[in-house]
Amino acid sequence: MVSSPHEAHHRIFQKSPGLFASAFRTLGIPFPEPVAVSLMDTDLTEIRPLERHVDTLLRIDLAGGDSILLAIEAQGRKDPDKRSSWAYYLAHLYAKFRYPPVLLVVCRDKGTAEWAAEPIRIGLEKHPSLVVFPLVLGPHNVPMITEAARAAEDLPMAVFSAITHSNDHDIAAILDALAEALRATDADAAAVFAEFTEAGLGATPARELWRNLMGTGLSHFRGFVAESFRDEGRVEGRVEGRVEDILRILEVRGVAVPEEARQRITACTDLAVLDVWFERAITAPTTDAVLDEN
């Protein structure tokens, strides 16, 4: 089971696929002009009993007609087994789709980021058969966005900055800038970004700072973050808010919601079930996938 910070750190790319372009510009890496970005199936399971899943997989169609695959991994700690998995992901993706794959690893601490950036060399020491050079985003190279105007220019990057620098001593300034930027944006969009931020901060002191901001200046936003500061007895209001969030996310993502599915969602009063549906609604390709009982 993945942690909430883990989910948020890569799912922000699913919510705002264009974030990768900002990220590469931050790293000073030239990148062709994308014309379309598609969320792809992250299941890399083979016929044999071997199951592997990349966190997020995007197909990026370029202006010249070519395409590449961007595999995004959220890494919270050093894990020696991951290095062989990453090499496998890239080789498998290229063999399966015939598109050039690129690996992006996102980290929340400098030590893990430095470890993740080390080349993976497979084969002879002086003549490796395969070398993997992961691209890494972490506290060492992601900018700290502490100005509201700058945060408003690129909200996904501002949220990503807050998540990445959640343990930094300047996190209060980052969160203040993000909160001010969200106050000036569309309430529905702000609610989604606010919730991503809460999930991404995880069990850190920064999360309490963010919750305090949510409970005061941003209390008008719908969603879990704002709801968590309401009276716990107002379950009905929380259920209604979650139903609205699910339907709104599906609408924004362009996922069709048949009337039968809409009635099932609006009739549900189990907040735990609605939370599961909300998580699925962020990435599910169809409404059936959101409501799947398996």
Side-chain angles (χ1 to χ4, degrees):
M1 182 180 294
V2 295
S3 65
S4 292
H6 178 282
E7 289 285 342
H9 214 188
H10 68 84
R11 284 196 177 184
I12 185 66
F13 287 90
Q14 298 174 4
K15 169 62 183 175
S16 302
L19 174 59
F20 74 87
S22 298
F24 285 142
R25 284 196 298 270
T26 298
L27 296 178
I29 298 175
F31 199 86
E33 183 65 28
V35 295
V37 178
S38 306
L39 188 65
M40 301 184 68
D41 188 356
T42 61
D43 187 351
L44 306 184
T45 305
E46 296 182 339
I47 296 177
R48 300 190 305 276
L50 174 65
E51 187 172 332
R52 299 179 188 270
H53 292 267
V54 65
D55 287 339
T56 289
L57 181 63
L58 302 173
R59 188 189 73 205
I60 302 172
D61 300 326
L62 307 175
D66 296 327
S67 298
I68 68 170
L69 297 177
L70 181 63
I72 304 169
E73 285 280 283
Q75 195 65 27
R77 58 182 176 80
K78 299 178 183 179
D79 181 356
D81 292 337
K82 269 296 184 180
R83 298 178 66 77
S84 60
S85 295
W86 291 340
Y88 170 87
Y89 293 163
L90 296 177
H92 179 83
L93 288 170
Y94 185 69
K96 181 176 182 179
F97 296 106
R98 296 298 179 181
Y99 296 134
V102 176
L103 173 64
L104 173 63
V105 183
V106 290
C107 306
R108 294 199 302 155
D109 71 89
K110 184 178 180 181
T112 301
E114 291 175 343
W115 164 82
E118 295 174 2
I120 304 168
R121 302 179 185 276
I122 301 174
L124 300 175
E125 181 179 352
K126 294 186 178 181
H127 191 88
S129 300
L130 177 65
V131 183
V132 176
F133 295 97
L135 295 174
V136 178
L137 291 172
H140 65 298
N141 58 8
V142 172
M144 290 187 289
I145 300 178
T146 57
E147 299 176 358
R150 187 180 176 191
E153 291 175 357
D154 194 344
L155 282 173
M157 178 55 78
V159 172
F160 188 70
S161 174
I163 294 172
T164 303
H165 291 283
S166 58
N167 293 309
D168 194 278
H169 65 278
D170 287 330
I171 185 61
I174 296 172
L175 295 179
D176 283 342
L178 176 58
E180 185 174 343
L182 290 181
R183 292 188 189 100
T185 195
D186 174 75
D188 289 331
V192 174
F193 285 126
E195 186 153 356
F196 263 116
T197 303
E198 158 126 357
L201 293 174
T204 64
R207 188 174 190 175
E208 293 306 313
L209 292 175
W210 186 245
R211 282 178 168 176
N212 289 335
L213 288 171
M214 295 301 97
T216 54
L218 299 179
S219 59
H220 61 288
F221 289 152
R222 294 196 305 270
F224 174 80
V225 177
E227 290 165 1
S228 65
F229 287 91
R230 296 176 183 172
D231 184 349
E232 291 297 325
R234 299 175 63 185
V235 176
E236 182 178 351
R238 296 176 64 197
V239 167
E240 292 178 356
R242 182 55 92 213
V243 167
E244 291 178 4
D245 290 342
I246 294 169
L247 295 175
R248 175 59 176 165
I249 286 178
L250 293 174
E251 177 186 352
V252 170
R253 293 184 57 234
V255 177
V257 182
E259 184 58 31
E260 182 178 351
R262 183 180 297 274
Q263 291 179 4
R264 183 177 172 189
I265 294 172
T266 56
C268 182
T269 58
D270 188 328
L271 190 59
V273 172
L274 291 171
D275 284 342
V276 171
W277 291 352
F278 175 82
E279 287 287 332
R280 293 176 181 173
I282 297 174
T283 59
T286 65
T287 307
D288 286 342
V290 174
L291 305 179
D292 186 2
E293 295 182 355
N294 295 327

